[in-house]
Amino acid sequence: AEKVLGYDLLSLCLKGPQDELDRTRHCQPAVRLMFGLGSVSVQVVESCVAAAGYSVGEFAALVFAGALGFAEALYAVKVRAEAMQKASEAVPSGMLSVIGRREANYKFACLEARKHCESLGIENPVCEISNYLFPDSRVIAGHLQALEFLQENARKYYFTRTKMLPVSGAFHTRLMEPAVEPLAEVLKSIEIQKPLVCVYSNVDGKKYMHSKHIQKLLVKQVVSPVMWEQTMHSVYERKQGTEFPYTYEVGPGKQLGAVLKKCNLKAWKQYNHVDALEDEEAAET
């Protein structure tokens, strides 16, 4: 990883500084690719029936499934992260996590937030759903002024909780369009195989079919919402009475497990979390 990235990723992860690790160009390779893959065991690989990765974690899922080589995927993530960092710095933008009541209309709220931005003189403002998490939860991304407007008017739109995410830009919106071409170019130079196990795409929640399909959707994903709730429904679709498989969330944090619980309680009962750092600490003791 150090040879591909040009800096000591392990040292940055373990020693910081935190503000550098939080930067998109460092965070994406670190959290989703390195620690995700570092946690996968041989037993899981041999019996796996499906894989999925959240946002940049999709690269880790594709490496795990044999569609991408580790070094090539890491280089693609490096290019993606640096391009998205640059796009983020061009426009003051961010992401807002929202939990709403049943009557919440997220798209209407975004429309009014865009109109508010236009009244402030912002041309072509962006405010749209960037992540579908579970039935009552979305992430909305766009211009900071739009997100501030939504927070101030949360009650009007039946939002019960809003929280700004600690990210540097409006990922998975058209504000990331400058990152599309750099990623498209690097993916053209990488050999992509058909996955050995089913991998589900963030773009539409469906299985990747072939190498060109992977190349196309990985690029599209940068400016498209992450359809994670829809992906969960696709992955765990079963005939009534059929047992659910074991599910492993690998890497730091248990956020995806919490989302699975909200999407499918029966599937969540077979959920396990694996953290690479915890495994290393256990081995040392």
Side-chain angles (χ1 to χ4, degrees):
E2 184 177 345
K3 289 178 181 178
V4 173
L5 297 173
Y7 58 87
D8 189 346
L9 180 61
L10 182 60
S11 177
L12 184 62
C13 290
L14 298 178
K15 301 176 183 177
Q18 184 67 43
D19 59 340
E20 278 298 307
L21 188 55
D22 287 343
R23 287 171 63 83
T24 301
R25 64 190 301 266
H26 296 145
C27 184
Q28 288 192 18
V31 176
R32 291 298 176 192
L33 199 63
M34 289 296 294
F35 284 108
L37 289 168
S39 309
V40 180
S41 70
V42 174
Q43 291 88 344
V44 173
V45 175
E46 290 177 345
S47 61
C48 184
V49 293
Y54 186 87
S55 189
V56 72
E58 201 163 278
F59 284 84
L62 288 164
V63 172
F64 165 80
L68 295 173
F70 174 78
E72 290 83 358
L74 186 56
Y75 180 69
V77 169
K78 175 181 185 287
V79 171
R80 179 186 189 271
E82 290 175 350
M84 291 173 73
Q85 177 77 47
K86 189 174 181 180
S88 299
E89 291 168 355
V91 179
S93 57
M95 304 180 80
L96 182 72
S97 175
V98 177
I99 294 179
R101 286 160 55 181
R102 291 288 175 87
E103 54 268 59
N105 187 327
Y106 302 96
K107 291 185 178 179
F108 176 70
C110 290
L111 174 63
E112 294 216 320
R114 291 196 297 271
K115 288 181 177 178
H116 169 72
C117 286
E118 288 173 351
S119 73
L120 298 177
I122 299 173
E123 294 184 9
N124 299 316
V126 173
C127 183
E128 56 198 57
I129 298 172
S130 62
N131 304 71
Y132 291 81
L133 298 176
F134 52 87
D136 298 317
S137 180
R138 305 283 185 271
V139 175
I140 296 174
H143 282 81
L144 284 180
Q145 296 90 332
L147 304 183
E148 290 164 359
F149 172 84
L150 292 178
Q151 283 192 296
E152 291 167 5
N153 295 276
R155 186 172 295 182
K156 174 183 176 181
Y157 302 115
Y158 302 102
F159 296 164
T160 57
R161 196 190 80 184
T162 61
K163 181 183 179 183
M164 288 296 295
L165 298 180
V167 296
S168 58
F171 304 146
H172 303 291
T173 71
R174 58 184 174 85
L175 287 177
M176 291 294 111
E177 283 179 358
V180 166
E181 190 59 32
L183 179 59
E185 285 301 311
V186 76
L187 287 175
K188 287 177 185 176
S189 67
I190 291 175
E191 185 178 0
I192 303 175
Q193 306 287 342
K194 184 178 179 180
L196 299 174
V197 297
C198 295
V199 179
Y200 288 78
S201 168
N202 285 182
V203 173
D204 56 12
K206 298 177 181 179
K207 299 173 186 175
Y208 279 117
M209 303 306 295
H210 48 75
S211 59
K212 289 291 184 184
H213 193 212
I214 294 170
Q215 181 181 319
K216 179 182 176 181
L217 292 193
L218 281 180
V219 174
K220 190 175 180 181
Q221 188 227 57
V222 172
V223 291
S224 302
V226 174
M227 311 291 276
W228 193 254
E229 179 185 344
Q230 295 85 341
T231 300
M232 292 297 92
H233 293 317
S234 296
V235 170
Y236 295 102
E237 186 177 11
R238 295 286 187 282
K239 290 182 180 179
Q240 193 168 0
T242 306
E243 288 188 8
F244 286 99
Y246 288 103
T247 297
Y248 296 92
E249 177 178 2
V250 295
K254 301 179 182 180
Q255 295 92 334
L256 298 183
V259 171
L260 175 59
K261 187 176 183 179
K262 296 282 188 179
C263 290
N264 192 322
L265 182 60
K266 288 184 178 179
W268 174 80
K269 289 179 180 178
Q270 300 279 56
Y271 163 87
N272 294 277
H273 174 249
V274 182
D275 192 318
L277 292 179
E278 288 177 2
D279 288 349
E280 287 180 9
E281 288 168 5
E284 288 173 2
T285 55

